[in-house]
Amino acid sequence: MDTILGLGVTQCQQILFIGSVGALQAELKIGDLVLPELSLSGDGATRYLVNTILQEVDTFAQPAYPEPILFDRLAKITSDECETSKTTFHRVKNFSVDTIFAQYSHLQEIIDLGCDTIEMETAAAFKAAETIDIPCAALLSISDNSVVQKSLFGGRTEKEDNYRRKVRSTVIPKIIETMVK
């Protein structure tokens, strides 16, 4: 969030957030790419991006969105590149947390909110970019999947890890290159 807010005093014209995400649906595979259509705020940082922190409506679990025009452009480029490279991508509803472990006891509640993925930054990134009026969208790679016991620490196959490495080293750079043209 602070990095993006700092971009507000630069000549930055758009922000493409690249990162990793955990899957919460069995059909989302390790290495697949996802584009969050929205990210529910499960963090504390976005609470500072409102007029007053003592407001009646809490920002927790409220949606933050990528900028629509940039999102649509990223989705088109990602779709084209994934078709060429035989890679899979999904549009998802994401949940952003500010903890590495505490959310595990709440995964079913998060899934019940309709969330497909979970990570730590996009809600704050989208809100910060909106605050400074710079378009922002996110492209994420699935690193783990809690619902099928494929964690960062185990359960993933060598084939899955190789697919993820291929996507991160070849597909994502091609998408970025096309986005900046």
Side-chain angles (χ1 to χ4, degrees):
M1 180 176 85
D2 288 334
T3 300
I4 290 177
L5 290 173
L7 291 172
V9 296
T10 71
Q11 297 299 311
C12 180
Q13 296 179 16
Q14 64 184 11
I15 299 165
L16 180 57
F17 185 97
I18 307 292
S20 293
V21 65
L24 298 175
Q25 304 296 328
E27 64 272 9
L28 302 178
K29 306 297 184 200
I30 304 297
D32 285 356
L33 293 174
V34 299
L35 281 70
E37 295 178 324
L38 65 86
S39 191
L40 296 183
S41 173
D43 63 14
T46 55
R47 292 174 167 161
Y48 292 98
L49 297 174
V50 294
N51 292 335
T52 175
I53 59 174
L54 299 176
Q55 62 184 1
E56 289 183 26
V57 177
D58 189 5
T59 62
F60 195 85
Q62 295 302 305
Y65 297 94
E67 193 280 329
I69 294 170
L70 185 61
F71 176 86
D72 289 345
R73 184 167 176 254
L74 176 60
K76 171 72 170 112
I77 290 168
T78 300
S79 177
D80 291 348
E81 182 54 41
C82 285
E83 186 176 324
T84 299
S85 65
K86 310 267 188 284
T87 305
T88 303
F89 95 98
H90 313 268
R91 293 173 183 238
V92 298
K93 182 177 179 180
N94 183 66
F95 194 86
S96 284
V97 296
D98 54 8
T99 172
I100 295 173
F101 297 112
Q103 80 277 3
Y104 286 110
S105 63
H106 300 282
L107 285 183
Q108 190 56 55
E109 292 173 86
I110 294 167
I111 292 167
D112 290 346
L113 289 171
C115 293
D116 308 298
T117 56
I118 188 168
E119 54 73 68
M120 299 181 78
E121 296 96 1
T122 59
F126 294 159
K127 288 303 260 185
E130 179 185 329
T131 299
I132 60 171
D133 198 28
I134 297 177
C136 179
L139 174 65
L140 309 170
S141 170
I142 296 177
S143 60
D144 57 282
N145 189 326
S146 294
V147 298
V148 294
Q149 287 73 50
K150 293 186 180 285
S151 76
L152 294 173
F153 307 108
R156 299 183 309 186
T157 66
E158 184 176 341
K159 182 178 178 181
E160 289 169 327
D161 285 339
N162 288 339
Y163 173 62
R164 183 166 186 256
R165 276 192 286 279
K166 174 191 160 246
V167 169
R168 290 171 50 125
S169 66
T170 61
V171 179
I172 291 174
K174 288 179 183 174
I175 293 168
I176 294 169
E177 182 179 4
T178 305
M179 284 293 292
V180 299
K181 286 183 181 177

